[in-house]
Amino acid sequence: MSRFFANGSDSESESSEEEVQASNFNKATNFQFSDDEEEVKRVVRSTKEKRYENLTSIIKTIRNHKKIKDIPNTLSSFEDLTRAYTKALPVISKEENGITPRFYIRCLAELEDFINEVWEDREGRKNLSKNNAKSLGTLRQKVRKYIKDFEEDLARFREAPDQESDVEEGEGEAHESDADRAGADSDDGVGAGAGKLAELPKAAKSVTTKAVADDDDSDDSIDWDSDTESETESSEDENLYQNMRERFLKRTTEKEDKDDDKRKDKRKEQKHKVRKRAEDDEDGEWETVVKGNVVEKPKMFEKDAEIDIPLVLAKLIEIMSARGKKRTDRRLQIDLLFELRDIAEQHDLGTPISVKIHFNIISAIFDYNQKISEPMKLEHWALLLEVMQSMMKLLLANPDIIMNESVAEEHEEYVTAPYYIRGCPLAAVERLDDEFTKLLKECDPHSNDYVSRLKDEINVVKTIELVVQYFERCGNNNERCRIYLRKIEHLYYKFDPEVLKRKRGELPATGSAPSSVEVMDKLCKFIYAKDDTDRIRTRAILAHIYHHAMHDNWFQARDLVLMSHLQDNIDAADPSTRILYNRMMANLGLCAFRQENIKDAHHCLVDLMVTGKPKELLAQGLLPQRQHERSAEQEKIEKQRQMPFHMHINLELLECVYLVSAMLLEIPYIAAHEFDARRRMISKTFYQQLRSSERQSLVGPPESMREHVVAAAKAMRCGNWQACANFIVNKKMNTKVWDLFYESERVREMLVKFIKEESLRTYLFTYSNVYTSISIPSLAQMYELPLPKVHSIISKMIINEELMASLDDPSETVVMHRSEPSRLQALAMQFVDKVTNLVDVNEKVFDMKQGNFFQRGNMGNRDRGYNRNQNNQGGNWGGQRRDNRNQRNRNQRGHHKQQQQQQQQQVQTIEEE
């Protein structure tokens, strides 16, 4: 009986066979084996061995199918192979450091060659069956698509198909390959022991064969052991293991221990050699290890070569000719250009050749990032800034060097002055500015990374200033306008407090350095005069208006908007210009609010806020997608248009200014036209907020900014200016909104003053029909306004026919004329208007029905002429009805007017009595 059941030795089982059968009569007898059975040793295999064995078996199947040209089965086996390799990827990345096994690359190469051979054989392809031909096309397409990920490995394999890679050599020296164990019995040699031995070096081969021979000897000795030895072994096993689990656990043998000792000795020897080599090294410097395949750096020049300008230019052209090619190492290209620059400076080849190499380094750094929508790496960004500033300093220090994109390469001059170099520093600095914007968008705006990146703006502005100086010296008008616009875009949104201090006289008007407003004025006026493209001029005007509004120059900004007529044709502009226009209008509205022009502030902000999407219109973020409004491509494009965080306008501040402006305009208007059925809305957004609040059954204390404004509006409708001011100006609103303004205290005082004035107007509109006369001093005391201000407000209302009253100066009172209808009269007039409209609608419906009735009655047995006469008569009858109805409406209106006049006369007589 086998040792697997741990029931003692074979001899014991023979002697006591009957007893065992008597005691275990219920056990199955088909598990008993003969005595001459080979004892099988249980082997625990790792995941790597299992995966590699699966791969090698599939590869063997593919080769068998290729021999008989069974293409459909080859296709299915290839699909199995790809799935098996996908499962083995975690093992490969862990054990092989992500390097694809060589036997797998060999299979892909052989399969590709097989497909190409069959495909190129046109005659043989014609003789293929329909199933084979269809499978061949599918297999060719799938293989070509699949091997794109293994192009580099396939290229290295085809260069040396009979050699092993470095990784596999190391594994062969250290231990036996897992693929060898998996496919030891295969005849093809793919991952098999024989093939592996053939490919390994001779030393490794001899060691391996020797180990195999030893294993064979040991196996023979085990097979031919005597029964007594097996009996002693089984008894020792019984004593050694306490339970069945320990019996089947993997355990190390003496041979494996020896192999482990040998590996450890080899590792120690290698470490010792490395240490000795490091000690013998004179430099003793660290060597940077680069990820991926190490490509040897090509030699720049021969040792005995004479370094001169033509040689350096030829080398430069050689390096740059590889630009954009598929297998070009872009990092190596940048290193070579830096080395070439150092060589040129060592041999004093002149500044022109150094400038040329600088410009090519900038181009190579830009080329390193393949996706233009993604930002470049920080290390390349710092390098780019340094090289760009260095090149511009060289150009400014040497006026005889002219760099222009109009210079042809064959006309470049590096030897005699003036030097001509092909290149465009303007395009380079524009790309630099765009990369800076992309870097800012990539960072989290609330992190320290954004602040550290924003510090680079100082260097970017310095670089732009160097380019400005260069083109002011030797550039044309178009180039100067373009670089001026770049400088403007870094300047227009920045607030300069010195401008306001000079305006108030706290600082001398002519300082040592020009203010930002003066610089903007100079740059923009040059663009207005010299630019021949509408886009640059439009963006300059918008930035100029924005900067004026930022510094409270309301009248200059307003005049620029009106004279430029931008609002007429801005819809035809590109998206970035429209975003700048929206930002300008938002900032202009804030400026008008600060300068106490409430109506203008509302007009500037209404177009932005009425859409409900100011965040998107100002390019400060994207709203959640509603029912797939935009595709993924559109969303990607819109994200690229977003403004950096430090240029954002506070949306809550913008909305609060808009709602407060709307409140100051809408509430007096509602009070003046309370019973007007044709009343129009000044602000739709504010009106909706007010109505939604009125529909609520229970209104708690305000919490958000909108709720504060709505509560203030309700207080203003009653003429309670103190409650209104407390809702608008309080600690919470100051923190959220008003403290964001420069000179916030002045803004709060202005707000309280406007609230008092508009509350007074609302009070007069609401309660004028209650009073016969009102004392002006009592109004001034009630609203804490100066007496002349109250007198001025009431006079304006009387002049504009908003208030039917007259001023009595000796008594300082306002005498009401009582010309306004009472509340009951106004409601009655509204009711009459609605009833009249209802009658008109009913008569129109009745006319339509009567017209259809006459047409139906006249059709049928009448001739055409009779029908036409009857239709005409019906049409005249309808016209007569309409005339009668219009006359009746006119009579009704006249009657209503007479009634109103009679009522007014009765009221006047009662007052006189």
Side-chain angles (χ1 to χ4, degrees):
M1 190 174 182
S2 176
R3 199 166 53 184
F4 182 85
F5 294 98
N7 286 330
S9 62
D10 295 339
S11 59
E12 290 176 352
S13 64
E14 288 177 0
S15 61
S16 58
E17 185 176 1
E18 294 178 0
E19 295 176 3
V20 170
Q21 290 179 356
S23 60
N24 299 327
F25 60 89
N26 56 344
K27 293 184 179 180
T29 58
N30 55 353
F31 289 107
Q32 297 176 357
F33 302 97
S34 61
D35 295 333
D36 57 341
E37 173 194 2
E38 290 186 2
E39 295 187 2
V40 180
K41 185 177 179 181
R42 185 171 181 269
V43 179
V44 179
R45 295 185 301 164
S46 64
T47 309
K48 179 180 177 182
E49 293 173 349
K50 294 177 183 176
R51 298 301 184 200
Y52 276 28
E53 183 178 1
N54 189 18
L55 288 173
T56 50
S57 63
I58 296 174
I59 290 172
K60 185 176 179 181
T61 307
I62 289 175
R63 289 190 170 180
N64 292 335
H65 291 323
K66 286 194 297 184
K67 288 177 184 177
I68 60 175
K69 290 190 177 182
D70 188 358
I71 298 175
N73 287 329
T74 305
L75 174 60
S76 61
S77 299
F78 173 71
E79 293 173 348
D80 296 339
L81 181 66
T82 56
R83 285 192 289 269
Y85 181 75
T86 305
K87 290 182 180 179
L89 271 178
V91 178
I92 293 172
S93 61
K94 182 179 179 182
E95 301 289 340
E96 308 289 349
N97 295 327
I99 299 174
T100 309
R102 191 172 178 82
F103 68 87
Y104 190 76
I105 298 298
R106 183 189 296 276
C107 173
L108 294 179
E110 291 176 355
L111 187 60
E112 185 184 13
D113 295 339
F114 169 73
I115 292 171
N116 292 336
E117 181 182 353
V118 175
W119 190 265
E120 290 172 359
D121 186 9
R122 296 180 180 273
E123 297 296 329
R125 235 194 319 159
K126 290 179 181 178
N127 297 328
L128 290 175
S129 64
K130 184 178 180 180
N131 192 16
N132 276 351
K134 183 179 179 181
S135 301
L136 178 63
T138 307
L139 178 64
R140 180 171 179 263
Q141 185 178 4
K142 287 189 175 183
V143 170
R144 289 177 67 180
K145 183 178 180 181
Y146 184 73
I147 63 175
K148 285 182 180 179
D149 299 332
F150 304 93
E151 288 181 348
E152 296 181 359
D153 296 330
L154 285 170
R156 284 198 300 272
F157 175 80
R158 293 188 187 282
E159 290 174 0
D162 297 330
Q163 294 181 5
E164 290 289 344
S165 62
D166 296 338
V167 177
E168 290 187 353
E169 285 180 5
E171 289 179 357
E173 293 174 1
H175 59 280
E176 185 177 347
S177 169
D178 294 310
D180 294 346
R181 297 192 208 123
D185 296 334
S186 69
D187 300 331
D188 301 315
V190 179
K196 198 76 174 179
L197 292 172
E199 291 178 2
L200 289 172
K202 292 182 179 179
K205 182 177 178 182
S206 61
V207 172
T208 312
T209 52
K210 185 176 180 181
V212 171
D214 293 341
D215 292 342
D216 294 340
D217 294 340
S218 62
D219 292 339
D220 294 340
S221 64
I222 290 171
D223 292 336
W224 294 99
D225 270 347
S226 62
D227 291 340
T228 57
E229 289 177 356
S230 63
E231 183 177 352
T232 56
E233 283 179 4
S234 63
S235 61
E236 287 175 1
D237 290 343
E238 288 176 358
N239 297 329
L240 184 61
Y241 303 112
Q242 300 297 328
N243 52 28
M244 294 294 288
R245 178 179 176 277
E246 292 182 359
R247 177 182 294 277
F248 296 107
L249 287 176
K250 183 179 180 181
R251 57 186 183 273
T252 57
T253 60
E254 292 182 1
K255 182 189 172 211
E256 291 177 351
D257 293 338
K258 289 179 183 179
D259 292 341
D260 291 339
D261 294 338
K262 287 180 183 179
R263 292 173 194 157
K264 291 178 181 177
D265 293 339
K266 284 184 179 181
R267 289 173 188 165
K268 288 180 180 178
E269 289 178 4
Q270 290 176 356
K271 289 180 180 177
H272 181 68
K273 288 179 182 178
V274 171
R275 288 176 188 167
K276 191 173 181 182
R277 195 180 304 151
E279 290 173 0
D280 295 340
D281 194 2
E282 294 178 356
D283 297 334
E285 296 178 354
W286 291 93
E287 183 179 354
T288 305
V289 179
V290 182
K291 183 180 178 182
N293 299 322
V294 179
V295 181
E296 292 187 3
K297 199 172 185 180
K299 292 182 179 179
M300 192 65 67
F301 300 107
E302 298 294 334
K303 292 183 179 179
D304 54 349
E306 183 181 353
I307 308 299
D308 55 0
I309 292 177
L311 187 63
V312 171
L313 284 175
K315 193 66 181 178
L316 179 64
I317 294 171
E318 178 187 344
I319 295 171
M320 296 306 293
S321 62
R323 178 182 176 190
K325 291 185 178 178
K326 195 170 187 179
R327 300 186 182 276
T328 303
D329 189 348
R330 297 183 295 278
R331 187 190 300 110
L332 179 63
Q333 198 175 22
I334 296 172
D335 295 340
L336 289 174
L337 288 171
F338 272 106
E339 186 180 350
L340 188 64
R341 185 192 68 175
D342 296 339
I343 292 172
E345 290 176 355
Q346 289 173 6
H347 291 80
D348 293 330
L349 298 182
T351 308
I353 195 71
S354 180
V355 170
K356 179 70 174 177
I357 297 173
H358 272 83
F359 187 75
N360 283 283
I361 290 173
I362 293 169
S363 302
I365 294 174
F366 283 139
D367 289 343
Y368 188 84
N369 193 13
Q370 288 183 325
K371 293 183 179 180
I372 198 169
S373 60
E374 295 180 358
M376 63 170 55
K377 295 181 179 178
L378 295 180
E379 53 185 23
H380 294 145
W381 166 250
L383 198 63
L384 179 64
L385 276 177
E386 180 187 349
V387 176
M388 190 73 194
Q389 289 186 1
S390 175
M391 184 186 76
M392 294 313 302
K393 287 176 182 176
L394 288 174
L395 286 173
L396 290 173
N398 298 273
D400 52 354
I401 298 177
I402 299 172
M403 176 180 273
N404 202 319
E405 59 184 347
S406 61
V407 177
E409 291 185 358
E410 58 269 14
H411 296 148
E412 290 182 329
E413 182 61 48
Y414 300 96
V415 182
T416 58
Y419 307 105
Y420 290 96
I421 302 172
R422 179 176 175 80
C424 185
L426 178 58
V429 79
E430 286 178 342
R431 177 77 185 275
L432 172 77
D433 194 20
D434 294 339
E435 290 293 338
F436 175 66
T437 306
K438 284 191 283 186
L439 279 172
L440 288 176
K441 291 178 188 176
E442 186 71 15
C443 296
D444 180 11
H446 305 290
S447 65
N448 293 328
D449 292 340
Y450 190 88
V451 178
S452 58
R453 292 282 68 75
L454 194 57
K455 290 177 182 177
D456 290 339
E457 188 179 16
I458 299 172
N459 293 325
V460 174
V461 173
K462 285 181 181 177
T463 307
I464 292 174
E465 189 62 40
L466 292 174
V467 180
V468 166
Q469 294 176 17
Y470 175 74
F471 280 103
E472 283 179 347
R473 191 184 68 194
C474 60
N476 56 33
N477 290 334
N478 188 22
E479 291 172 334
R480 288 179 67 180
C481 289
R482 284 169 61 188
I483 193 60
Y484 280 172
L485 183 63
R486 288 288 171 173
K487 186 175 179 180
I488 286 169
E489 288 178 348
H490 279 275
L491 183 63
Y492 79 94
Y493 62 89
K494 294 176 181 174
F495 178 70
D496 187 5
E498 292 185 359
V499 175
L500 297 181
K501 291 179 180 178
R502 288 183 183 180
K503 191 187 295 185
R504 291 194 300 265
E506 297 177 8
L507 290 176
T510 56
S512 57
S515 65
S516 61
V517 173
E518 295 171 353
V519 174
M520 283 286 295
D521 196 54
K522 174 192 169 187
L523 297 176
C524 292
K525 283 183 177 177
F526 180 86
I527 293 177
Y528 300 158
K530 304 294 183 181
D531 179 55
D532 53 357
T533 61
D534 291 335
R535 184 179 182 274
I536 294 178
R537 187 188 299 110
T538 302
R539 292 185 69 85
I541 292 172
L542 293 172
H544 201 185
I545 297 168
Y546 191 103
H547 200 68
H548 274 311
M550 179 78 70
H551 296 91
D552 290 342
N553 296 328
W554 160 248
F555 293 105
Q556 291 90 325
R558 184 198 62 183
D559 294 343
L560 268 175
V561 172
L562 296 177
M563 289 189 298
S564 59
H565 298 285
L566 287 173
Q567 59 273 21
D568 298 336
N569 53 11
I570 193 63
D571 293 332
D574 59 292
S576 61
T577 305
R578 277 182 281 171
I579 290 169
L580 183 57
Y581 174 80
N582 294 335
R583 286 168 54 79
M584 180 272 296
M585 291 302 292
N587 203 33
L588 190 64
L590 295 178
C591 174
F593 185 79
R594 289 192 300 268
Q595 296 301 308
E596 304 180 5
N597 298 305
I598 303 298
K599 189 175 290 186
D600 293 325
H602 182 266
H603 287 332
C604 291
L605 298 177
V606 67
D607 290 335
L608 275 176
M609 306 307 295
V610 77
T611 59
K613 300 189 291 184
K615 191 174 185 180
E616 287 190 352
L617 293 175
L618 297 174
Q620 295 181 186
L622 298 177
L623 294 176
Q625 211 168 6
R626 300 175 190 168
Q627 299 177 354
H628 304 286
E629 282 182 358
R630 51 180 177 266
S631 62
E633 189 66 26
Q634 289 175 338
E635 189 168 352
K636 183 180 178 183
I637 293 171
E638 288 184 9
K639 282 183 178 179
Q640 292 175 359
R641 293 176 185 151
Q642 300 301 301
M643 304 299 295
F645 183 74
H646 68 284
M647 298 173 67
H648 284 191
I649 299 172
N650 193 301
L651 294 176
E652 192 170 17
L653 170 67
L654 208 63
E655 186 178 7
C656 183
V657 168
Y658 169 72
L659 291 177
V660 170
S661 303
M663 178 192 74
L664 295 174
L665 296 174
E666 187 86 41
I667 297 300
Y669 180 80
I670 292 175
H673 302 82
E674 184 176 3
F675 305 111
D676 189 357
R678 296 178 180 83
R679 183 180 64 202
R680 61 182 180 83
M681 290 182 294
I682 296 176
S683 172
K684 183 180 179 181
T685 309
F686 174 76
Y687 200 79
Q688 288 173 349
Q689 295 287 336
L690 199 60
R691 287 290 171 263
S692 64
S693 176
E694 289 177 352
R695 283 195 296 267
Q696 292 178 2
S697 58
L698 180 62
V699 180
E703 295 181 1
S704 66
M705 178 270 299
R706 293 180 182 176
E707 291 176 355
H708 276 86
V709 177
V710 170
K714 290 181 178 179
M716 183 182 282
R717 288 185 71 175
C718 302
N720 188 354
W721 72 270
Q722 289 178 339
C724 179
N726 291 334
F727 281 126
I728 294 295
V729 181
N730 53 52
K731 188 176 181 181
K732 186 183 287 188
M733 291 290 287
N734 290 344
T735 306
K736 282 186 174 181
V737 179
W738 308 124
D739 288 342
L740 300 176
F741 280 116
Y742 183 75
E743 298 178 345
S744 57
E745 193 61 36
R746 181 179 64 84
V747 175
R748 284 192 284 267
E749 292 174 359
M750 179 268 296
L751 270 174
V752 174
K753 184 189 75 170
F754 268 103
I755 287 172
K756 290 178 181 178
E757 294 175 2
E758 297 303 324
S759 297
L760 173 60
R761 283 165 46 84
T762 307
Y763 184 81
L764 291 173
F765 283 135
T766 307
Y767 301 109
S768 61
N769 56 354
V770 178
Y771 292 97
T772 56
S773 61
I774 305 176
S775 173
I776 294 177
S778 63
L779 287 175
Q781 184 180 1
M782 185 188 301
Y783 288 95
E784 296 182 7
L785 287 171
L787 201 61
K789 188 66 179 176
V790 176
H791 192 280
S792 172
I793 292 171
I794 295 174
S795 300
K796 285 181 181 177
M797 293 173 68
I798 294 172
I799 291 170
N800 294 331
E801 297 182 355
E802 295 174 343
L803 185 66
M804 297 300 150
S806 59
L807 287 171
D808 188 6
D809 287 335
S811 60
E812 293 183 343
T813 57
V814 182
V815 180
M816 301 298 173
H817 290 172
R818 293 284 187 177
S819 60
E820 299 91 354
S822 66
R823 183 178 181 83
L824 181 61
Q825 292 171 348
L827 290 173
M829 290 171 63
Q830 284 186 15
F831 178 73
V832 168
D833 288 338
K834 290 180 180 179
V835 169
T836 305
N837 293 332
L838 182 62
V839 169
D840 290 342
V841 171
N842 286 336
E843 288 186 352
K844 287 180 181 177
V845 174
F846 184 73
D847 289 346
M848 292 171 60
K849 288 184 177 180
Q850 291 298 325
N852 292 335
F853 173 77
F854 283 117
Q855 288 178 4
R856 284 198 303 271
N858 292 328
M859 291 182 67
N861 299 326
R862 303 281 191 267
D863 59 351
R864 293 183 180 179
Y866 183 76
N867 286 340
R868 185 163 54 248
N869 294 333
Q870 288 296 102
N871 289 337
N872 291 337
Q873 290 176 4
N876 294 334
W877 180 83
Q880 290 175 2
R881 282 185 57 85
R882 281 193 292 272
D883 294 340
N884 295 335
R885 186 182 67 248
N886 294 335
Q887 183 65 32
R888 186 169 62 251
N889 291 339
R890 284 194 293 269
N891 294 335
Q892 287 178 355
R893 293 192 189 98
H895 181 64
H896 289 317
K897 287 182 181 179
Q898 290 176 3
Q899 287 181 349
Q900 289 177 5
Q901 290 175 2
Q902 290 175 3
Q903 289 175 358
Q904 290 176 2
Q905 289 175 2
Q906 291 175 1
V907 170
Q908 288 177 0
T909 54
I910 292 170
E911 288 178 354
E912 290 174 357
E913 290 176 354

